[in-house]
Amino acid sequence: MSTLELCVAVLTGTIAVVFIVRQLLSPKPIPGIPHIPIKSFLGDIPELGDTVKKHRAVRKPFFEKHAHELGPIYQVLMGPTAMVVVSDPYEIEDILLRSRSKVIDIPTRTTNIFGGIIPYAQVALPSNELWKKHRRVSGPSMSATFLKQGSPSIANSSSALVAYWKDKMTAIRAQGGRCFESFSDLSICTMDMMAELVFGETAGGISTIHSSVQDIGKDAVVDEYGGTTFPNCKWTALHQAVGYHMASLAKGVEMPPFLVKLYWFILKRSKKFRHHDKIIKDLIQSRIKEARNRTNDVGKTGRSGTADCIIDMIIEKEQREGSDYQSDQELLDELMGFVFAGHDTTPAVCSFGLKLLTNHPEVQKKLRTELLSNLNEPENRNITYEDVGTGEKTPYLEAVVHEVLRCADVTITARQPLEDITILGKHIPKGTEILFLTGMASRRATASYVARRQDVIAGDFKPTKGAWADEGVDEFKPERWLVDGPDGKKVFSASQGYSMPFGLGSRACFGIKLALLELRMIIATINLGGFLDKVPEELNNFEGYEEITLKPKQAYVSLVDWEDIRD
């Protein structure tokens, strides 16, 4: 073969390889579903990357933006892979709760992300027999009996947070500050709650930072607007370790799906990862051993139904019923899942909630009036389960909590069909990841949307809840959840309109009841402890950044005594 012929052959082969690779990697839209105009063989990846760089978030600036443009169902092209995005509230409800719920599961991507650290926790397991076993074993931890028994832990941590914040405000005023970032404190507080609920003893996070408030106050950094941060704040080793793991999970969320397993493979071999992982696992494994020893000493009938923490409850249930035994590894991952959940979602919701309350002083005053009127001297004691466990005594508090959840919109729901399905008349192939914009869907569920839905979407539907008024649907208004009761007094009604902050169906958030109890107790305790005064406008925007959940970029609060507030 001559040199020329060789060059031609090499060039032809190279072109063929490039062509084949490009064809393999190029976007392949699902027929019949709207999509963003294709501008690159990578599909929408470049725009997604630019959005992340600019906003540190993609849900509102990317997914919701294009949902407004393309309608209640469209697709995002991640190279050759298509992701379907749905924002119709009635279709989402129908998929997650009714016949199609049997043929969908959590996406493989979710399993890979959480499976890197806690492969046997519910959040990382597909809906198989192992997941069902874990659900049965952990189920009693969300019962009214157990939550009532564990509620003092939540109340104690909430009161400790308020006491710390009062001393913190004194410290920052001495340095010329006006307000401080709240998210890290809320994370520590909720993790203290979860540690006590799971292991029977607090992690001591709030007490640790409170004990050094005067020292760290001297090193406080005050910006030009009075916003104060504490760079030398002391976290316990456990809080630091959990914080590191949560940050690692957040990075996994940002990874392209095909790189997630490689990411964990490399990270888990790093010295820093092993150090933090050992702190968490050593603690939990020691607690598992202690709990098994306690249960063995008592015997099968010794303390039936009286376990004072989740780990004792699970192990006692195993021994008493002789079934659904979990290995130490399974139990370790499940308990780590509980701790991680307490470190992220609840503080994210609370951070947005406190911002909303700060900007709505009338809601704070109305809430305080209800708490003082309907509860027995709540200012002089901790809030109890009897006070707020069901919301019957405090309908306005219940409305505030649900409106905070509706407006904060910190989580997102994703599923993957196990077989071909139809959504809004569109064929969705098996294995396609489906992203449900539940927050946007809830805001879409207005009277005008219901009226025109039949004109734009084929098929009959019967809403199971009311429709929000079009006017002010994006505003924070707890009153939208209240209706007149039989005696003429306002009562809370969850059926007033759509809101899906915890997802729906069998794979909805396992800890819904606990999360609601935590939010009620934290918000009520803060409200009774002081007034959230306004913060400078420069520190008061509502933009968020996304990790595992959406968090506010600015979470500043200024807690002052009610006596210092003028009507």
Side-chain angles (χ1 to χ4, degrees), residues 507-524:
R507 293 307 300 245
C509 173
F510 172 70
I512 294 175
K513 294 179 180 178
L514 173 58
L516 287 172
L517 182 60
E518 287 179 329
L519 290 170
R520 293 178 193 127
M521 287 192 154
I522 293 171
I523 291 174

Side-chain angles (χ1 to χ4, degrees), residues 220-295:
V221 176
V222 182
D223 65 24
E224 59 183 310
Y225 308 112
T228 311
T229 55
F230 298 82
N232 296 323
C233 186
K234 298 178 180 178
W235 285 32
T236 67
L238 178 62
H239 286 86
Q240 291 180 45
V242 172
Y244 174 84
H245 270 6
M246 295 304 295
S248 299
L249 283 167
K251 290 177 182 177
V253 171
E254 298 172 358
M255 289 276 166
F258 60 88
L259 288 179
V260 172
K261 288 188 176 181
L262 177 62
Y263 164 72
W264 285 125
F265 179 81
I266 295 172
L267 183 66
K268 290 169 73 172
R269 283 155 180 79
S270 70
K271 183 178 180 181
K272 192 171 185 180
F273 180 94
R274 294 198 304 270
H275 167 73
H276 290 301
D277 199 54
K278 187 175 187 301
I279 289 172
I280 300 170
K281 289 182 176 177
D282 282 354
L283 170 68
I284 297 179
Q285 286 168 342
S286 68
R287 297 298 183 269
I288 292 173
K289 183 177 180 180
E290 292 169 3
R292 291 203 190 281
N293 289 338
R294 282 195 300 271
T295 304

